[in-house]
Amino acid sequence: MEYKDYYKTLGVERSATADEIRAAYRKLARKYHPDVSKEKDAEERFKEVGEAYEVLKDTEKREAYDQLGSNWKQGQEFRPPPGWSPSGGAGFEFRSGQGGQADFSDFFSSIFGNMGGNFGGGGFNQQGFGQNAGTRQNTRGQDQQTKIQIDLEDSLQGAKRSISLRSASGDRTLTVNIPKGIKSGQKIRLNGQGQNSLGGAGDLLLEVEFNPHRLYKVEGSDLTMNLPVTPWEAALGATVKIPLPDGSHADVKIPANSRSGRKMRLKERGLPSKPAGDLYLILEIALPTADTPRAKELYEQMAKELAFNPRAHW
């Protein structure tokens, strides 16, 4: 595998101070965060930056990494020296910078090991540095992926949901934390819940899909809702009360002479992502039925007095 120069990943010198490393990480993490970055390789770069910071931010872990020396260059084939053990075999605990899910490379595992790894709630704790560290590597189990259906309210408020999984080893129930503002297509990582292996279990990735909602349609972080209005509200203008996704209500002004299909925007009333989405209202002119003599009379009167032909442009 290729040697990873964590100093180069963060763009700092090997003599960089802890403050310089922290500042470099924060700058790059903001730049490549998948929720805001438009670069094609943002997610991969974000992981690389996080892995580099996990090692270099802690004095002991950084010293263990520096034991490899400065002769290794990015792109070279790398294998730890036979019998190599960081800090004499002391155990290290690695957790992700966000306090949750860690996703480290094979290079990382070749240095610090992954036997008995437990990512997530208990961090990554490795005690298995022994005499075979350089000659035998245990491979981590494969990641697995499936879909999870959630309600719109789960994303609006954040939620915990229980899911049942069936595998060769039997059924199991897992509790899933659904982050506030998550969007369709994004993935929730459950560390250690994938395929088992001698080198530790892989991760389970849950791809989010939304259940249909009776009012709102989800498009990325934006929401769209059809807003029925009467012909006189559309023609004369009006103020109507609408339900908002968070459970509250708002008064919306309908401009005079509005047509069906008109699109109105309520800023930052969509999903509470970063940045927050918007709520779009699509006007629908609803016609009352001529189901009473008086209603029929009013329609006949409009037909006589209003010079209106919706097909005149033909």
Side-chain angles (χ1 to χ4, degrees):
M1 70 194 72
E2 291 185 0
Y3 174 80
K4 287 185 177 292
D5 188 336
Y6 291 140
Y7 294 99
K8 185 175 181 180
T9 299
L10 293 182
V12 298
E13 299 294 331
R14 297 182 72 89
S15 59
T17 65
D19 288 340
E20 290 172 337
I21 289 173
R22 185 183 306 108
Y25 164 72
R26 289 177 176 174
K27 178 180 178 180
L28 293 174
R30 285 194 297 266
K31 179 178 180 180
Y32 294 116
H33 196 288
D35 287 345
V36 297
S37 178
K38 297 184 181 299
E39 301 197 26
K40 294 182 179 179
D41 60 345
E43 184 173 357
E44 187 60 31
R45 294 295 300 274
F46 185 74
K47 291 179 181 178
E48 291 175 353
V49 168
E51 179 176 320
Y53 184 60
E54 283 295 326
V55 175
L56 299 184
K57 71 178 181 180
D58 182 273
T59 302
E60 293 183 359
K61 298 168 190 174
R62 182 177 176 181
E63 287 178 356
Y65 171 74
D66 287 345
Q67 285 181 38
L68 294 174
S70 59
N71 294 326
W72 292 97
K73 302 299 181 183
Q74 187 81 17
Q76 283 189 333
E77 289 297 314
F78 170 78
R79 178 176 296 176
W84 183 83
S85 176
S87 297
F92 290 125
E93 178 175 309
F94 289 87
R95 302 181 66 125
S96 75
Q98 302 301 320
Q101 319 304 344
D103 189 6
F104 299 132
S105 67
D106 290 341
F107 171 76
F108 177 96
S109 298
S110 72
I111 301 174
F112 299 103
N114 60 7
M115 188 64 166
N118 179 19
F119 296 110
F124 176 59
N125 201 345
Q126 166 60 24
Q127 304 289 345
F129 302 125
Q131 59 183 354
N132 295 325
T135 59
R136 183 169 61 88
Q137 297 179 24
N138 291 313
T139 303
R140 176 176 173 269
Q142 290 184 349
D143 292 344
Q144 296 177 319
Q145 182 168 319
T146 188
K147 295 182 183 292
I148 180 174
Q149 299 286 137
I150 69 171
D151 294 330
L152 176 60
E153 290 74 13
D154 294 336
S155 177
L156 292 171
Q157 303 166 8
K160 285 187 177 182
R161 291 288 179 266
S162 294
I163 62 171
S164 297
L165 299 176
R166 177 168 296 178
S167 63
S169 58
D171 297 342
R172 52 186 171 141
T173 300
L174 302 175
T175 299
V176 181
N177 290 318
I178 300 174
K180 185 176 181 179
I182 196 168
K183 297 180 288 188
S184 180
Q186 289 187 315
K187 297 180 177 66
I188 300 172
R189 182 182 294 271
L190 301 182
N191 291 310
Q193 298 297 334
Q195 187 180 76
N196 284 318
S197 175
L198 291 176
D203 300 336
L204 176 62
L205 303 176
L206 303 176
E207 183 178 352
V208 169
E209 288 185 349
F210 285 103
N211 293 316
H213 195 276
R214 66 183 185 88
L215 291 180
Y216 307 107
K217 181 180 179 182
V218 184
E219 298 177 353
S221 58
D222 296 331
L223 301 178
T224 301
M225 181 181 76
N226 293 330
L227 175 57
V229 295
T230 64
W232 47 91
E233 287 173 333
L236 303 176
T239 298
V240 300
K241 189 178 293 292
I242 67 164
L244 295 175
D246 62 6
S248 62
H249 292 79
D251 291 329
V252 174
K253 185 176 181 179
I254 308 299
N257 295 315
S258 291
R259 293 177 176 270
S260 187
R262 180 169 187 161
K263 195 171 187 178
M264 303 173 62
R265 175 192 178 204
L266 298 185
K267 187 178 180 181
E268 297 184 354
R269 291 291 191 170
L271 293 181
S273 308
K274 294 183 180 179
D278 300 325
L279 172 61
Y280 290 93
L281 307 175
I282 309 298
L283 297 189
E284 283 185 346
I285 298 179
L287 298 176
T289 58
D291 55 357
T292 67
R294 179 55 179 162
K296 185 176 181 181
E297 181 183 347
L298 290 172
Y299 271 116
E300 290 173 346
Q301 184 178 351
M302 283 192 295
K304 292 176 182 178
E305 297 184 12
L306 296 179
F308 178 65
N309 181 1
R311 299 171 296 282
H313 64 285
W314 289 1

